[in-house]
């Protein structure tokens, strides 16, 4: 084997932290260590950084700074939106509408609420993972208190019709939450205009080249929601706890960079992706999961028949290629992905799935390398598979 390359194609799991972001964070880990709630100057620097990021996030989302609440990431934002709204509105009813393809950070809070007397409707999705806004409307009941549908799916990349779903929710005066963790820097957001029917939106810094462990929940003014953490007066008393100042400062830089040139960035990703996709689809017995067009620009998800996803992953890792089977969060368990199951991929086929997500770590040379290595690895694994027979035998 020649020189070892490292090809990172798992940007949906996390992204590297951009050097400019790290530079922005450092002063808050070093000299500006003061508590942002303190009045002396080393605390004031921290306070300013927190409020500057709030303004930057608001600008990037077309929101108002007072509607941005810092959290520890996407998981907390989703938990807060769902449990916070459900409990605040439970006197009005205990019915929630969501989808079976949500991230576990939405699904598990919903399952928890089911143990607390709530009733959850999991909407049907089509074979691409698309939700039909008419199905959302049909699922609404008198006691529906929340609708939560993700903006784009982290496994198969399908982008949901959130504008239409938002309209339905608004018409029936039901709060609408969307997990937008995967779309920051990929879809322009404007919560005062185009996205005016979204009431809550989750985001996570480490999915757009910021640090891990920090995120935000957008909460439209007037939305009924309980406080999440009880303690100090931070975040208007709604989310207590000393702010992650360095992380928040880094997220501010990251959102600025991520939203500076969305179209140019997407174009670059789409170009690399279509070449990668065309090359991979030449491998026999391989199908693309997710919608062919309505999908995130860097996302590819394939199922290979007669292959075990975990083995594929390990062999690719040996060749320096980092990608994932379904979602990073479910690795360790070999259950087929709940998303692939929901779109009707047979369990056996789902086991042989591979997600490649492109981003700023990638170049055209990475595509060449994967197209050289992947068909070979798939061939090797099939050669030792007891279920695989050469193509002509299938025809008989
Ligand atoms: C990564 C991810 C999350 C979880 O975000 P964390 O910041 O890692 O907690 C939630 N939803 C989606 C769609 C994600 O991709």
């Amino acid at each position: 084997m020649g020189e070892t390359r490292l090809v990172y194609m798992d940007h949906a799991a996390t992204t590297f932290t951009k050097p400019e972001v790290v530079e922005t964070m450092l002063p808050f880990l070093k000299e500006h260590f003061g508590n942002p709630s303190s009045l002396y100057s080393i605390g004031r620097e921290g306070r300013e950084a927190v409020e500057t990021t709030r303004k930057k996030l608001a600008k990037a989302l077309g929101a108002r700074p007072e509607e941005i609440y810092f959290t520890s990431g996407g998981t907390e934002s989703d938990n807060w939106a769902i449990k916070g709204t459900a409990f605040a509105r439970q006197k009005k009813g205990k019915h929630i509408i969501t989808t079976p393809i949500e991230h576990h950070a939405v699904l598990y809070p919903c399952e928890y609420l089911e143990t607390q007397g709530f009733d959850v409707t999991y909407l049907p999705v089509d074979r691409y993972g698309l939700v039909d806004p008419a199905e959302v409307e049909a699922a609404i009941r008198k006691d529906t208190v929340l609708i939560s549908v993700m903006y784009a799916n982290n496994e198969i990349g399908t982008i949901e019709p959130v504008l239409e779903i938002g309209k339905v929710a608004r018409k029936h005066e039901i709060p609408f939450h969307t997990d937008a963790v995967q779309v920051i820097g990929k879809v322009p957001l404007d919560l005062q205009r185009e996205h005016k029917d979204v009431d809550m939106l989750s985001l996570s810094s480490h999915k757009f080249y910021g640090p891990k462990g920090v995120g935000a929940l957008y909460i439209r003014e007037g939305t009924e929601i309980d406080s999440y953490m009880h303690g100090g007066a931070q975040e208007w008393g709604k989310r207590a706890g000393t702010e992650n100042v360095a992380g928040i400062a880094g997220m501010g830089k990251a959102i600025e960079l991520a939203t500076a040139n969305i179209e140019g960035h997407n174009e670059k990703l789409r170009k690399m992706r279509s070449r990668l996709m065309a090359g991979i689809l030449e491998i026999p017995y391989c199908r693309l999961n997710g919608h062919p067009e309505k999908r995130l620009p860097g996302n590819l998800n394939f199922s290979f028949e007669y292959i075990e996803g975990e083995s594929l992953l390990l062999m690719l890792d040996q060749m320096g290629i980092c990608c994932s089977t379904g979602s990073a969060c479910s690795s360790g368990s070999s259950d087929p992905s709940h998303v692939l199951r929901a779109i009707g991929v047979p369990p056996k086929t789902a086991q042989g799935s591979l997600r490649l997500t492109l981003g700023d770590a990638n170049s055209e040379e990475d595509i060449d390398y994967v197209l050289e290595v992947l068909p070979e690895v798939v061939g090797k694994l099939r050669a030792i598979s007891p279920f695989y027979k050469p193509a002509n035998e299938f025809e008989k």
Side-chain angles (χ1 to χ4, degrees):
M1 209 161 61
E3 95 252 52
T4 32
R5 274 187 80 100
L6 181 77
V7 173
Y8 184 78
M9 285 201 184
D10 206 11
H11 290 79
T14 195
T15 57
F16 67 94
T17 313
K18 289 205 166 154
E20 306 94 305
V21 171
V22 175
E23 285 308 313
T24 308
M25 295 172 71
L26 286 176
F28 301 98
L29 297 168
K30 293 175 169 175
E31 59 268 31
H32 304 317
F33 64 85
N35 191 312
S37 298
S38 305
L39 298 176
Y40 35 76
S41 60
I42 54 165
R44 273 207 305 276
E45 304 281 0
R47 168 57 47 204
E48 264 167 40
V50 168
E51 297 316 320
T52 300
T53 296
R54 207 186 301 282
K55 285 188 199 125
K56 285 181 179 174
L57 283 179
K59 184 164 175 252
L61 304 178
R64 296 189 300 119
E66 308 81 63
E67 297 172 314
I68 306 291
Y69 295 81
F70 294 119
T71 67
S72 65
T75 300
E76 184 186 323
S77 296
D78 286 344
N79 269 266
W80 185 6
I82 291 172
K83 291 186 279 191
T85 313
F87 287 128
R89 309 192 80 229
Q90 61 183 325
K91 286 209 180 71
K92 294 190 177 73
K94 292 185 124 187
H95 178 236
I96 295 167
I97 298 172
T98 190
T99 82
I101 62 163
E102 297 298 312
H103 191 275
H104 285 149
V106 166
L107 287 179
Y108 291 171
C110 286
E111 284 180 22
Y112 166 71
L113 287 170
E114 286 176 296
T115 71
Q116 303 299 305
F118 285 82
D119 199 10
V120 181
T121 297
Y122 300 91
L123 295 165
V125 293
D126 72 6
R127 68 193 165 115
Y128 300 123
L130 280 173
V131 173
D132 181 352
E135 298 274 7
V136 178
E137 185 147 40
I140 291 173
R141 315 193 312 211
K142 273 204 188 69
D143 60 342
T144 307
V145 288
L146 174 67
I147 298 171
S148 180
V149 177
M150 72 198 317
Y151 207 122
N153 185 270
N154 49 301
E155 291 189 36
I156 56 175
T158 300
I159 300 176
E160 299 296 344
V162 289
L163 298 181
E164 290 76 14
I165 295 168
K167 272 197 197 96
V168 169
R170 184 68 76 225
K171 181 176 142 199
H172 294 269
E173 295 177 17
I174 299 163
F176 175 46
H177 165 253
T178 189
D179 175 337
V181 170
Q182 290 289 336
V183 309
I184 303 299
K186 308 213 177 72
V187 176
L189 297 171
D190 190 344
L191 288 155
Q192 260 155 32
R193 292 174 222 279
E194 205 183 357
H195 297 83
K196 63 183 185 319
D197 298 323
V198 170
D199 296 309
M200 287 167 285
L201 179 143
S202 304
L203 59 88
S204 171
S205 152
H206 76 101
K207 303 291 175 81
F208 54 91
Y209 309 95
K212 293 168 183 51
V214 60
L217 179 64
Y218 160 84
I219 307 176
R220 188 175 295 281
E221 196 192 351
T223 306
E224 282 174 274
I225 186 164
D226 281 355
S227 296
Y228 193 65
M229 293 289 241
H230 303 91
Q234 293 90 352
E235 303 300 285
W236 301 283
K238 282 199 153 64
R239 200 280 189 181
T242 300
E243 299 87 341
N244 174 0
V245 180
I248 290 171
M251 175 164 64
K253 187 70 191 174
I255 194 114
E256 205 171 65
L257 297 172
T259 51
N261 178 18
I262 293 182
E263 219 11 77
H265 180 247
N266 286 350
E267 243 346 277
K268 189 186 154 212
L269 292 185
R270 272 193 216 103
K271 194 161 156 270
M272 286 194 287
R273 191 210 26 208
S274 46
R275 195 159 72 85
L276 184 58
M277 179 166 86
I280 293 177
L281 285 174
E282 280 178 23
I283 301 173
Y285 310 108
C286 153
R287 60 170 268 184
L288 178 74
N289 296 313
H291 199 279
E293 286 103 37
K294 292 175 190 163
R295 74 188 297 140
L296 292 169
N299 174 288
L300 283 174
N301 188 311
F302 299 98
S303 292
F304 297 93
E305 302 282 353
Y306 318 105
I307 290 267
E308 218 272 299
E310 301 271 298
S311 321
L312 182 56
L313 209 70
L314 294 177
M315 282 183 74
L316 289 173
D317 180 44
Q318 278 178 5
M319 299 300 287
I321 300 171
C322 312
C323 49
S324 79
T325 46
S327 63
C329 325
S330 355
S331 63
S333 79
S334 60
D335 295 343
S337 132
H338 67 282
V339 175
L340 296 180
R341 256 180 302 158
I343 62 169
V345 180
K348 234 201 177 125
T349 308
Q351 293 281 11
S353 297
L354 190 72
R355 178 185 74 175
L356 300 150
T357 46
L358 307 179
D360 281 352
N362 300 126
S363 63
E364 293 287 347
E365 288 76 57
D366 292 348
I367 309 297
D368 295 335
Y369 183 66
V370 173
L371 287 179
E372 186 188 311
V373 171
L374 183 61
E376 221 175 275
V377 170
V378 169
K380 269 188 198 156
L381 284 171
R382 281 181 178 160
I384 58 168
S385 160
F387 304 107
Y388 185 68
K389 299 192 189 80
N392 53 1
E393 287 191 37
F394 283 102
E395 261 71 71
K396 284 178 190 161

